[in-house]
Amino acid sequence: MIHTKKLGGVALTAILLSGCLSSSGGSDDANAPAPVVGGEQKLFKATLKRTAFGIPHIEADDFASMGYAYGYAQAEDNLCLLAEDTLTVRGLRARFLGADGTYQIPSNGATTTNLNADFFWRTAATDEAIAPFKTGSDPEVLEASSGYVAGFNRYLRELRNGQHPGRHEACRDEPWLMPMEEDDMYRRYFRLAVLASSSVFVEGVATAQPPATDVPELSTDQILDALADAGIEGSEDLPFPFADELPIGSNMYGLSAGASRSGESMLFGNPHFPWEKTERLYLAHIKVGDQAEIMGAALYGLPAVLIGFNDQFAWSHTVSTAFRFSFYELTLNPADPTQYLYEGEFVDMEATEITVQAMDDNGEVSDVTRTLYNSRYGPMLTFEAAGVPILNWSNAKAYTLRDANAENDRLLNQFFRWNQADSFEEFVELHGSVLGVPWVNTVATGPGKPAYYGDLTVVPNVPDAKAQACATALSPVFDLLSPGLPLMDGSRADCQWDTDADAPAEGVFGRANLPSLQRDDWVHNCNDSYWVTNPAEPLTGFAAIIGDEETPRTLRTRKCMQQVIQRLDGSDGKPGSTGFDLANLQDIVLDSSLQSEQLAREDVLSAYCPIGTLLSSGGQPVDISEACSILQAWDGTHNLGSVGGHIWREFWRNIDPLPVESPDKWRTPFDSSDPVNTPAMLNVASPLVQAAFADGVKAIQDSPMAMDAAMGDLQVSGIHDTVIPVFGGEGFEGAFTIASSRPHDISDGRYDVNYGNSYIQTVTWDDEGQPVAEGFVTYSQSTDPASPYYKDMTEAYSGKQWIRFPYTQEEIDSDPGLVEYRLVELAR
């Protein structure tokens, strides 16, 4: 049947194959087919409304129908991206995209070839690996997942039937655009679960092979010497997991009555995620009968809300510092490098032969076969940095890992149960009792409720004493490069992970041994550890694998805390009474100021500008006079109209690698009793700092960038087909408002933003207890250039035009951009 109706000035026409797509109205209910009781047919029926900026509002009587509408809406907005991810988790990239094509996971820094990616996902996301994600999940998860597949496939059928002309040109005619299967959903869930663990080692797992010739074992000193020769002096020069953190981040505040002007609680959440690939966030509002109503964002392909709000609570997440895995060192049989010692006996590794189809440059497809290996702990792997083999498969030793999130069958239950929670108290209780959050901290509050923080996540139960007792000869390398990441002796049963009495599964910490805090004023996290969630009440005494304590915080975290402290004591100079309201919270979180500028600009300019010329690190004289003049007048932010901030950024890019404890960096050292204000006083007398300033100025002089350019002329969206200016800065320079260009390259005279502020929500509650929420999806809802929702939110974000998230029925129905239709299908 065909239905056309104009709503909010938008004409909607749909031609259906196996169901109905109609404007809302009671007449269609009578024509909807009845479900077949006891049969194999499923009735999907949902109302889908889109308000301005393409925000879907889905209402259904059951989770299957909710998932159906969710899958349809996401396919409509992001078909090609979702289809490519399906191709990835099936291990078919090399077959359709070429064996030598590049595969990247921007969220964890992994880069390899399509061929290696296929081998990794074929050995990681097996039927056996995803089975617990199905058998351990609640019925709501299973139903929503099934519905999502049906909704996605329905949109795909419509596209292939000639509907939606002009849409999804990047993939609509590609052979790899295939219908989804339910197992694809669980492979996707598995992929997200291991984002901060196994999938960091895509190449190392996919290529790990026993030595064919004599491969000697490297000593600790040999590895450290080789890293030093390669210019690696600390973890900041290495990829995750040896770097200090994942290449993704977030900021969040929970503000209770003690921090609020009105006495009503507020929440701010803002993940810093890639603007490309499937770790984008998608905003939706879902209502399932009387079981759930929630609004917020989820990573693509998940029919739930992962960060969001309703009339009872709001929450957000930031990437946690805890490690989700541990390495094990295996002692090998000298006569067979695929056997390892365990409890006094040599046991065989599990060998699996995998065949992948691969297309070469000529379009020819052939089979490629490898045998990959697993130990009792998990996959065998190798890992190198700057060409230095840190984890190597020699004739004497080999390395494997155990991944707690590969065993986390509670992940989906956590979020689906949160989406159905009836109160703030239930939300907090579920955090610890389900314990399925994979790799993020949580902050939450509710109307009239305290501010809550918890790093109640899936963490291997490796107390410090066990990590020390099970250490190997190579453990000192880890202690230097990645404190807290265990490398343990795999030959001993007593080096298996412990299990707490209150843990929901074997091998992980329970709630009592994980950090959490409730306060009546405020909590925060900006990606440093739990230690000073609120500096008035430090959290201490937890295992090193969870995070560090009494150590320097990043400049971004210091700014995170400073902004709240100064708002509460009034020292930020903002008008009116102290404390937060929604307006000044929004002003603060997007103000684009920099901690590094506040700490050091005055000293830098006073020390260097009278000189006029400084020597670069290469020994060349650099005229800094023009840069000094511009920086003297700079407003200290990276707002669109701010002139000169790029000079400071390139200077601080050279400062950042200096270790925090280096006397060449700060004259006032870190003091654990004052983590907000120390370290301080940049050592402008240091030749390294002087050269860093000269190098930063020279980088601009040698680029197409004008020295006096405004940030809005330099920094633009790197993913859209038109120029959209983007405000904000980099985390390393102490920006809270994040806009990042990766990799760094100013040879084209621009910062092309492809990472940073992503989903943003500010939430409070009105006198009737209804949520008042505003925010952005900074890169917009759709990745299809033909969509009306491809760049509209990005343009609003560029202008700091906060978008109201309609929640009540009245707000939704009165939205001037409303498009409403009903999705119905009787599927077999």
Side-chain angles (χ1 to χ4, degrees), residues 535 552-555 557-559 561-563 565-566 569 571 595 598-599 666 668-681:
R553 308 290 90 176
T554 64
L555 289 178
T557 289
R558 291 172 61 186
K559 184 159 188 60
M561 296 187 287
Q562 182 191 75
Q563 289 177 160
I565 292 167
Q566 292 182 346
D569 66 19
S571 61
Q595 185 76 0
Q598 294 165 0
L599 287 171
W666 302 107
T668 300
F670 169 69
D671 181 350
S672 61
S673 67
D674 189 10
V676 179
N677 299 305
T678 62
M681 299 184 68

Side-chain angles (χ1 to χ4, degrees), residues 648-665:
W648 188 263
R649 176 180 294 172
E650 295 310 313
F651 159 48
W652 210 264
R653 193 183 303 278
N654 302 319
I655 290 291
D656 183 56
L658 290 173
V660 172
E661 65 276 8
S662 169
D664 285 303
K665 195 164 190 176

Side-chain angles (χ1 to χ4, degrees), residues 105 108 110 120-121 191 194-203 403:
I105 308 176
N108 66 21
F120 175 83
W121 291 115
R191 189 175 91 70
V194 301
L195 186 69
S197 44
S198 297
S199 68
V200 174
F201 308 102
V202 170
E203 183 158 349
D403 185 339

Side-chain angles (χ1 to χ4, degrees), residues 210-217 334 392-396:
T213 58
D214 186 37
V215 177
E217 178 188 2
N392 199 28
W393 195 336
S394 71
N395 293 86

Side-chain angles (χ1 to χ4, degrees), residues 337-350:
T338 66
Q339 289 186 332
Y340 62 97
L341 192 66
Y342 188 74
E343 287 297 287
E345 295 182 2
F346 285 113
V347 295
D348 291 326
M349 296 175 187
E350 178 186 346

Side-chain angles (χ1 to χ4, degrees), residues 344-365:
E345 295 182 2
F346 285 113
V347 295
D348 291 326
M349 296 175 187
E350 178 186 346
T352 304
E353 186 176 272
I354 299 171
T355 298
V356 167
Q357 288 191 314
M359 181 173 64
D360 63 21
D361 293 340
N362 298 318
E364 298 292 326
V365 176

